[in-house]
C-alpha cells in the first residue's frame, strides 16, 4: 500500500473514532452540553486533533447526518434493484422499526432535530439531507406504484413520502415516551399501513 493510501486510511479511522466519541457525548450531554474537550477525551486524542478533522461541532453533526443519509440511499437503491420492489420495501420495514425503537439512536436524531430548530446552519444541513432522502424515497414509491399500474403526479408522491417518513420518525418520539413498545406487534401493523399507502387508488 502506498504512503498516500496508508495516510488516507489512518485519517478515515481517526474521523470514525471522533464521530463515535461525538455521538456518545451528544447522547449523554446534548449538543450544547458536549464540549470539544469532552469529545477529545472520549476519542482519546487532543482537541487539536479534533479540529484538524472537524472545524467545529456543526461540522461533526454534518458528518453524522451524511453517514445516515448514505446508509439510507444504499437501502433505497437495494430496494429499487429488487425483482419485486413492493415486497422488498415491506420486507425491510422491520429494520427501520428496530432503528427507530433504539433509544440511543432515536435520542441522537431528536437531539440533532432540536438543534436544527435553533441553529440555522444545522437546519440547513438537516433540510438538505432530508431533501435527498425524500427524492430517493419518491423514486422508490413511484417504481412500486408503476409496477401496479398506477401513475401518480409529483404532489401525490410527495404526500405519500411525507406520510411514510412521519410513521417512522414518529416512532422515534414514541420510543422515548414509551420505551416498552412491542416491536413484534408494531412491525405487522406498519407493514399493513404501508400496503394501504402503496395500494391506494389515485
Amino acid at each position: 500500500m502506498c504512503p498516500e493510501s496508508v495516510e488516507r486510511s489512518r485519517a478515515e479511522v481517526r474521523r470514525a473514532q471522533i464521530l463515535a466519541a461525538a455521538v456518545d457525548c451528544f447522547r449523554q450531554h446534548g449538543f450544547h452540553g458536549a464540549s470539544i474537550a469532552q469529545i477529545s477525551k472520549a476519542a482519546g486524542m487532543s482537541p487539536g486533533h479534533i479540529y484538524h478533522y472537524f472545524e467545529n461541532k456543526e461540522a461533526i453533526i454534518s458528518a453524522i447526518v451524511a453517514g445516515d443519509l448514505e446508509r439510507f440511499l444504499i437501502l433505497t437503491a437495494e430496494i429499487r434493484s429488487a425483482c419485486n420492489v413492493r415486497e422488498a420495501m415491506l420486507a425491510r420495514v422491520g429494520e427501520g422499526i428496530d432503528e427507530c425503537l433504539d433509544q440511543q439512536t432515536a435520542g441522537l436524531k431528536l437531539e440533532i432535530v432540536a438543534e436544527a430548530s435553533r441553529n440555522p446552519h444545522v437546519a440547513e444541513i438537516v433540510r438538505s439531507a432530508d431533501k435527498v432522502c425524500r427524492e430517493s424515497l419518491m423514486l422508490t414509491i413511484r417504481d412500486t406504484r408503476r409496477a401496479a399500474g398506477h401513475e401518480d403526479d409529483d404532489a401525490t408522491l410527495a404526500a405519500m413520502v411525507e406520510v411514510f417518513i412521519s410513521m417512522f420518525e414518529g416512532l422515534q418520539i414514541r420510543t422515548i415516551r414509551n420505551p416498552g413498545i412491542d416491536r413484534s406487534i408494531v412491525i405487522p401493523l406498519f407493514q399493513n399501513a404501508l400496503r394501504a399507502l402503496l395500494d391506494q387508488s389515485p
Side-chain angles (χ1 to χ4, degrees):
M1 185 179 291
C2 66
E4 293 82 1
S5 297
V6 171
E7 185 56 36
R8 186 161 53 248
S9 178
R10 286 176 180 170
E12 290 171 358
V13 169
R14 289 185 185 121
R15 279 177 59 87
Q17 190 177 347
I18 293 167
L19 289 175
V23 163
D24 188 51
C25 289
F26 290 159
R27 283 171 178 160
Q28 291 186 52
H29 309 291
F31 180 76
H32 287 287
S35 65
I36 291 295
Q38 288 173 321
I39 294 171
S40 65
K41 182 177 180 181
M45 60 183 70
S46 70
H49 274 95
I50 304 291
Y51 286 117
H52 177 73
Y53 294 101
F54 297 99
E55 182 181 358
N56 49 38
K57 288 191 291 183
E58 291 176 359
I60 295 175
I61 281 187
S62 181
I64 292 170
V65 171
D68 286 343
L69 176 60
E70 181 181 7
R71 286 188 290 274
F72 182 81
L73 293 179
I74 291 171
L75 171 64
T76 52
E78 289 175 350
I79 290 173
R80 286 197 300 273
S81 69
C83 295
N84 188 322
V85 179
R86 179 181 180 276
E87 291 307 310
M89 286 187 73
L90 293 169
R92 304 298 283 269
V93 165
E95 293 177 36
I97 287 178
D98 284 341
E99 181 175 340
C100 291
L101 289 181
D102 181 82
Q103 290 200 12
Q104 289 191 329
T105 300
L108 175 65
K109 291 188 175 182
L110 293 174
E111 178 66 32
I112 291 174
V113 171
E115 181 60 23
S117 72
R118 299 182 292 261
N119 185 323
H121 186 208
V122 174
E124 182 181 349
I125 292 168
V126 169
R127 289 168 185 166
S128 176
D130 185 75
K131 182 175 182 293
V132 177
C133 170
R134 285 184 282 113
E135 289 171 348
S136 182
L137 187 54
M138 182 182 287
L139 288 175
T140 308
I141 292 177
R142 176 179 277 131
D143 287 353
T144 304
R145 298 274 293 166
R146 278 181 175 168
H150 301 299
E151 285 293 337
D152 305 291
D153 57 32
D154 286 349
T156 299
L157 288 167
M160 290 182 177
V161 166
E162 290 298 339
V163 171
F164 183 93
I165 293 174
S166 295
M167 288 169 56
F168 286 91
E169 290 191 348
L171 199 58
Q172 293 172 1
I173 298 174
R174 292 304 307 155
T175 195
I176 300 298
R177 291 179 171 172
N178 178 18
I181 294 174
D182 187 339
R183 69 179 298 278
S184 66
I185 296 175
V186 169
I187 288 175
L189 291 175
F190 262 61
Q191 289 172 327
N192 288 339
L194 182 55
R195 286 189 186 97
L197 181 68
L198 295 174
D199 296 344
Q200 66 175 316
S201 299

PDB file of all heavy atoms in Angstrom, residues 160-174:
ATOM      1  N   MET A 160     -47.263  11.011  -0.192  1.00  0.00           N
ATOM      2  CA  MET A 160     -47.028   9.638   0.266  1.00  0.00           C
ATOM      3  C   MET A 160     -45.707   9.537   1.016  1.00  0.00           C
ATOM      4  O   MET A 160     -45.610   8.856   2.041  1.00  0.00           O
ATOM      5  CB  MET A 160     -47.030   8.679  -0.930  1.00  0.00           C
ATOM      6  CG  MET A 160     -48.380   8.459  -1.573  1.00  0.00           C
ATOM      7  SD  MET A 160     -48.253   7.266  -2.933  1.00  0.00           S
ATOM      8  CE  MET A 160     -49.977   7.151  -3.416  1.00  0.00           C
ATOM      9  N   VAL A 161     -44.697  10.192   0.480  1.00  0.00           N
ATOM     10  CA  VAL A 161     -43.382  10.190   1.120  1.00  0.00           C
ATOM     11  C   VAL A 161     -43.471  10.781   2.527  1.00  0.00           C
ATOM     12  O   VAL A 161     -42.904  10.241   3.485  1.00  0.00           O
ATOM     13  CB  VAL A 161     -42.360  10.971   0.264  1.00  0.00           C
ATOM     14  CG1 VAL A 161     -41.091  11.260   1.065  1.00  0.00           C
ATOM     15  CG2 VAL A 161     -42.018  10.191  -0.991  1.00  0.00           C
ATOM     16  N   GLU A 162     -44.194  11.897   2.661  1.00  0.00           N
ATOM     17  CA  GLU A 162     -44.316  12.537   3.973  1.00  0.00           C
ATOM     18  C   GLU A 162     -45.012  11.625   4.973  1.00  0.00           C
ATOM     19  O   GLU A 162     -44.617  11.550   6.140  1.00  0.00           O
ATOM     20  CB  GLU A 162     -45.068  13.868   3.847  1.00  0.00           C
ATOM     21  CG  GLU A 162     -44.295  14.962   3.126  1.00  0.00           C
ATOM     22  CD  GLU A 162     -43.009  15.346   3.847  1.00  0.00           C
ATOM     23  OE1 GLU A 162     -42.874  15.096   5.062  1.00  0.00           O
ATOM     24  OE2 GLU A 162     -42.111  15.900   3.183  1.00  0.00           O
ATOM     25  N   VAL A 163     -46.057  10.931   4.510  1.00  0.00           N
ATOM     26  CA  VAL A 163     -46.757  10.003   5.400  1.00  0.00           C
ATOM     27  C   VAL A 163     -45.822   8.864   5.815  1.00  0.00           C
ATOM     28  O   VAL A 163     -45.747   8.495   6.988  1.00  0.00           O
ATOM     29  CB  VAL A 163     -48.023   9.443   4.717  1.00  0.00           C
ATOM     30  CG1 VAL A 163     -48.629   8.313   5.544  1.00  0.00           C
ATOM     31  CG2 VAL A 163     -49.045  10.555   4.501  1.00  0.00           C
ATOM     32  N   PHE A 164     -45.103   8.329   4.843  1.00  0.00           N
ATOM     33  CA  PHE A 164     -44.173   7.230   5.107  1.00  0.00           C
ATOM     34  C   PHE A 164     -43.120   7.636   6.140  1.00  0.00           C
ATOM     35  O   PHE A 164     -42.892   6.930   7.130  1.00  0.00           O
ATOM     36  CB  PHE A 164     -43.504   6.820   3.793  1.00  0.00           C
ATOM     37  CG  PHE A 164     -42.566   5.657   3.906  1.00  0.00           C
ATOM     38  CD1 PHE A 164     -43.016   4.364   3.673  1.00  0.00           C
ATOM     39  CD2 PHE A 164     -41.232   5.838   4.242  1.00  0.00           C
ATOM     40  CE1 PHE A 164     -42.147   3.280   3.768  1.00  0.00           C
ATOM     41  CE2 PHE A 164     -40.363   4.767   4.347  1.00  0.00           C
ATOM     42  CZ  PHE A 164     -40.821   3.480   4.109  1.00  0.00           C
ATOM     43  N   ILE A 165     -42.483   8.767   5.908  1.00  0.00           N
ATOM     44  CA  ILE A 165     -41.431   9.228   6.816  1.00  0.00           C
ATOM     45  C   ILE A 165     -41.998   9.546   8.200  1.00  0.00           C
ATOM     46  O   ILE A 165     -41.388   9.233   9.221  1.00  0.00           O
ATOM     47  CB  ILE A 165     -40.707  10.454   6.229  1.00  0.00           C
ATOM     48  CG1 ILE A 165     -39.932  10.060   4.973  1.00  0.00           C
ATOM     49  CG2 ILE A 165     -39.757  11.074   7.255  1.00  0.00           C
ATOM     50  CD1 ILE A 165     -39.291  11.221   4.241  1.00  0.00           C
ATOM     51  N   SER A 166     -43.185  10.159   8.224  1.00  0.00           N
ATOM     52  CA  SER A 166     -43.794  10.536   9.507  1.00  0.00           C
ATOM     53  C   SER A 166     -44.067   9.312  10.376  1.00  0.00           C
ATOM     54  O   SER A 166     -43.958   9.385  11.607  1.00  0.00           O
ATOM     55  CB  SER A 166     -45.099  11.299   9.263  1.00  0.00           C
ATOM     56  OG  SER A 166     -44.853  12.523   8.608  1.00  0.00           O
ATOM     57  N   MET A 167     -44.428   8.198   9.756  1.00  0.00           N
ATOM     58  CA  MET A 167     -44.672   6.978  10.527  1.00  0.00           C
ATOM     59  C   MET A 167     -43.421   6.569  11.300  1.00  0.00           C
ATOM     60  O   MET A 167     -43.482   6.274  12.500  1.00  0.00           O
ATOM     61  CB  MET A 167     -45.090   5.840   9.591  1.00  0.00           C
ATOM     62  CG  MET A 167     -46.481   5.970   9.012  1.00  0.00           C
ATOM     63  SD  MET A 167     -46.786   4.758   7.681  1.00  0.00           S
ATOM     64  CE  MET A 167     -46.445   3.204   8.520  1.00  0.00           C
ATOM     65  N   PHE A 168     -42.296   6.564  10.610  1.00  0.00           N
ATOM     66  CA  PHE A 168     -41.062   6.102  11.248  1.00  0.00           C
ATOM     67  C   PHE A 168     -40.484   7.147  12.198  1.00  0.00           C
ATOM     68  O   PHE A 168     -40.047   6.810  13.302  1.00  0.00           O
ATOM     69  CB  PHE A 168     -40.040   5.712  10.177  1.00  0.00           C
ATOM     70  CG  PHE A 168     -40.354   4.412   9.505  1.00  0.00           C
ATOM     71  CD1 PHE A 168     -41.124   4.378   8.351  1.00  0.00           C
ATOM     72  CD2 PHE A 168     -39.904   3.215  10.025  1.00  0.00           C
ATOM     73  CE1 PHE A 168     -41.426   3.177   7.729  1.00  0.00           C
ATOM     74  CE2 PHE A 168     -40.203   1.997   9.415  1.00  0.00           C
ATOM     75  CZ  PHE A 168     -40.976   1.980   8.262  1.00  0.00           C
ATOM     76  N   GLU A 169     -40.482   8.408  11.786  1.00  0.00           N
ATOM     77  CA  GLU A 169     -39.930   9.437  12.668  1.00  0.00           C
ATOM     78  C   GLU A 169     -40.808   9.620  13.909  1.00  0.00           C
ATOM     79  O   GLU A 169     -40.302   9.919  14.991  1.00  0.00           O
ATOM     80  CB  GLU A 169     -39.785  10.755  11.907  1.00  0.00           C
ATOM     81  CG  GLU A 169     -38.690  10.701  10.852  1.00  0.00           C
ATOM     82  CD  GLU A 169     -38.350  12.058  10.280  1.00  0.00           C
ATOM     83  OE1 GLU A 169     -39.095  13.030  10.526  1.00  0.00           O
ATOM     84  OE2 GLU A 169     -37.322  12.149   9.572  1.00  0.00           O
ATOM     85  N   GLY A 170     -42.110   9.424  13.761  1.00  0.00           N
ATOM     86  CA  GLY A 170     -42.990   9.485  14.930  1.00  0.00           C
ATOM     87  C   GLY A 170     -42.668   8.392  15.936  1.00  0.00           C
ATOM     88  O   GLY A 170     -42.771   8.589  17.152  1.00  0.00           O
ATOM     89  N   LEU A 171     -42.237   7.243  15.423  1.00  0.00           N
ATOM     90  CA  LEU A 171     -41.886   6.125  16.302  1.00  0.00           C
ATOM     91  C   LEU A 171     -40.665   6.455  17.153  1.00  0.00           C
ATOM     92  O   LEU A 171     -40.534   5.967  18.287  1.00  0.00           O
ATOM     93  CB  LEU A 171     -41.629   4.880  15.456  1.00  0.00           C
ATOM     94  CG  LEU A 171     -41.682   3.529  16.168  1.00  0.00           C
ATOM     95  CD1 LEU A 171     -43.039   3.322  16.827  1.00  0.00           C
ATOM     96  CD2 LEU A 171     -41.399   2.405  15.175  1.00  0.00           C
ATOM     97  N   GLN A 172     -39.779   7.308  16.641  1.00  0.00           N
ATOM     98  CA  GLN A 172     -38.608   7.720  17.420  1.00  0.00           C
ATOM     99  C   GLN A 172     -39.044   8.509  18.658  1.00  0.00           C
ATOM    100  O   GLN A 172     -38.472   8.338  19.739  1.00  0.00           O
ATOM    101  CB  GLN A 172     -37.684   8.579  16.564  1.00  0.00           C
ATOM    102  CG  GLN A 172     -37.030   7.825  15.424  1.00  0.00           C
ATOM    103  CD  GLN A 172     -36.271   8.733  14.482  1.00  0.00           C
ATOM    104  OE1 GLN A 172     -36.204   9.939  14.681  1.00  0.00           O
ATOM    105  NE2 GLN A 172     -35.706   8.154  13.437  1.00  0.00           N
ATOM    106  N   ILE A 173     -40.041   9.347  18.502  1.00  0.00           N
ATOM    107  CA  ILE A 173     -40.564  10.099  19.649  1.00  0.00           C
ATOM    108  C   ILE A 173     -41.273   9.154  20.607  1.00  0.00           C
ATOM    109  O   ILE A 173     -41.106   9.231  21.830  1.00  0.00           O
ATOM    110  CB  ILE A 173     -41.515  11.206  19.181  1.00  0.00           C
ATOM    111  CG1 ILE A 173     -40.773  12.214  18.304  1.00  0.00           C
ATOM    112  CG2 ILE A 173     -42.158  11.930  20.381  1.00  0.00           C
ATOM    113  CD1 ILE A 173     -41.658  13.262  17.671  1.00  0.00           C
ATOM    114  N   ARG A 174     -42.064   8.245  20.049  1.00  0.00           N
ATOM    115  CA  ARG A 174     -42.832   7.333  20.896  1.00  0.00           C
ATOM    116  C   ARG A 174     -41.921   6.425  21.730  1.00  0.00           C
ATOM    117  O   ARG A 174     -42.250   6.118  22.875  1.00  0.00           O
ATOM    118  CB  ARG A 174     -43.749   6.460  20.027  1.00  0.00           C
ATOM    119  CG  ARG A 174     -44.878   7.203  19.344  1.00  0.00           C
ATOM    120  CD  ARG A 174     -45.742   7.958  20.330  1.00  0.00           C
ATOM    121  NE  ARG A 174     -46.215   7.073  21.400  1.00  0.00           N
ATOM    122  CZ  ARG A 174     -46.564   7.491  22.613  1.00  0.00           C
ATOM    123  NH1 ARG A 174     -46.467   8.776  22.921  1.00  0.00           N
ATOM    124  NH2 ARG A 174     -46.986   6.634  23.506  1.00  0.00           N
TER     125      ARG A 174
END
